[in-house]
Amino acid sequence: MAEKKATAKKATETKAAAAKKTTTVKKAAAPKAAAKATLVVNAENAGFKAGDVYQALAAAGKALTLKEIAKAAKISEEETLLGLGWLFKEGKLANDAEKVTLA
């Protein structure tokens, strides 16, 4: 009978130790969500972003990457893509490999 109690006590201690280990494990902090502005996609906004992109490319006078266009136009990369889409549809742009130029 004493052996059963010792075995039961040991099993209980093992479970408690296992539970303690799982509760003391630190969880990785979730990455903080950066506050982002909402991009409104409509014809007017797309047209304005296209104008920003066009002006940046015209001022540079050479092919630029997406990041370079966004920086020159002082808009986000998402807004740059919106403007580029508009300009590509209008046939105003040509692209070679990774850079975009005015057509």
Side-chain angles (χ1 to χ4, degrees):
M1 179 85 157
E3 286 181 32
K4 286 184 180 178
K5 285 185 179 180
T7 304
K9 184 178 179 183
K10 192 172 187 179
T12 304
E13 288 173 354
T14 304
K15 286 180 185 176
K20 186 176 181 181
K21 285 182 183 177
T22 58
T23 57
T24 57
V25 173
K26 291 184 179 180
K27 294 181 181 178
K32 292 182 181 178
K36 289 187 176 182
T38 303
L39 176 62
V40 178
V41 179
N42 58 34
E44 183 179 11
N45 192 27
F48 284 125
K49 298 310 171 191
D52 294 342
V53 169
Y54 191 89
Q55 293 298 323
L57 287 168
K62 63 178 184 171
L64 298 174
T65 64
L66 175 67
K67 288 183 180 186
E68 291 170 337
I69 296 169
K71 185 176 179 182
K74 297 179 182 146
I75 57 177
S76 71
E77 288 185 21
E78 290 83 8
E79 292 170 322
T80 303
L81 289 170
L82 181 63
L84 286 171
W86 179 289
L87 293 171
F88 272 120
K89 183 178 182 313
E90 295 292 321
K92 303 287 184 191
L93 300 177
N95 71 337
D96 86 37
E98 296 180 11
K99 297 194 177 196
V100 179
T101 59
L102 295 175

